[in-house]
Amino acid sequence: AALRLDPTNLQTRFHLALNLETRGDWDKAQAVMAPVLRMNPTDPLAYTRVAEMDMDLRHYEAAQTRIAQGIAIAPDSQALVADQAALYLLQGDPQRARQWSAKLTATDGIRQQLDYSAYMQLRQFAQALSAAQAIPDSGDGLAMADKGLMIAAAAQFTGDQALARNTLAKARDAIE
């Protein structure tokens, strides 16, 4: 119904597509997102959303194309830089992911989360722990729980069982 009211609304299309993805309607999700770049050819957010959908569907070559197109339009787009780093992680290339995450300047914790994932893939657990601990506290219970789970996992691999246990207890408390 919302698309009938405003078929060009990027956010509406993206949220509808995510909902369809969640239900397993991959073909319908793609159909909802298909016209986005045609309708928004100069909007970096459009490239971000389509690339993220491609990554969700494991269409990595398509995601790479969308990210490159978006970066050509908006080379300073933090969302596209983060998507490039995330794509490299999905493709098992944590070194390149770290190169891209180093370009992030936002203070919202995305860089630290990407670095955590890259260091975990590289089995550099002390660095992963440092990255997770550097994620800013948001006050959001689920985000705090996610941060806690990252810290606990890295702590477990570094052998710091006490930190892992304490952090897991705090993560549980954050969502209760």
Side-chain angles (χ1 to χ4, degrees):
L3 285 179
R4 277 182 251 151
L5 294 174
D6 184 3
T8 63
N9 187 304
L10 174 61
Q11 292 295 54
T12 300
R13 282 189 174 277
F14 182 68
H15 290 294
L16 176 58
L18 282 179
N19 184 289
L20 291 166
E21 263 189 41
T22 303
R23 296 188 315 195
D25 278 334
W26 305 105
D27 292 336
K28 287 182 183 176
Q30 280 191 295
V32 167
M33 291 301 286
V36 165
L37 294 177
R38 185 175 27 81
M39 292 186 299
N40 304 283
T42 60
D43 185 348
L45 182 60
Y47 290 90
T48 297
R49 296 299 190 220
V50 172
E52 289 169 358
M53 175 72 59
D54 287 334
M55 286 189 279
D56 288 346
L57 297 173
R58 295 189 174 117
H59 298 162
Y60 299 144
E61 286 183 29
Q64 181 59 63
T65 298
R66 304 298 181 241
I67 291 167
Q69 290 169 335
I71 288 174
I73 292 167
D76 296 328
S77 169
Q78 293 289 284
L80 287 163
V81 169
D83 281 347
Q84 183 66 73
L87 179 59
Y88 283 131
L89 285 172
L90 290 170
Q91 294 174 313
D93 192 344
Q95 295 288 7
R96 289 179 81 183
R98 285 272 305 118
Q99 291 170 355
W100 279 86
S101 70
K103 299 176 183 185
L104 293 170
T105 59
T107 58
D108 60 3
I110 298 297
R111 176 181 180 176
Q112 292 85 353
Q113 291 173 24
L114 290 165
D115 287 348
Y116 164 83
S117 296
Y119 286 131
M120 290 296 281
Q121 282 187 17
L122 291 165
R123 302 184 62 77
Q124 296 175 356
F125 303 120
Q127 291 92 331
L129 178 58
S130 293
Q133 290 172 323
I135 296 169
D137 291 337
S138 68
D140 173 84
L142 288 176
M144 295 301 293
D146 282 345
K147 175 182 175 177
L149 292 173
M150 287 184 238
I151 292 170
Q156 179 78 23
F157 282 111
T158 63
D160 192 339
Q161 306 306 315
L163 178 60
R165 274 191 306 279
N166 291 339
T167 306
L168 282 175
K170 289 179 185 175
R172 184 188 65 236
D173 292 344
I175 57 174
E176 290 183 342

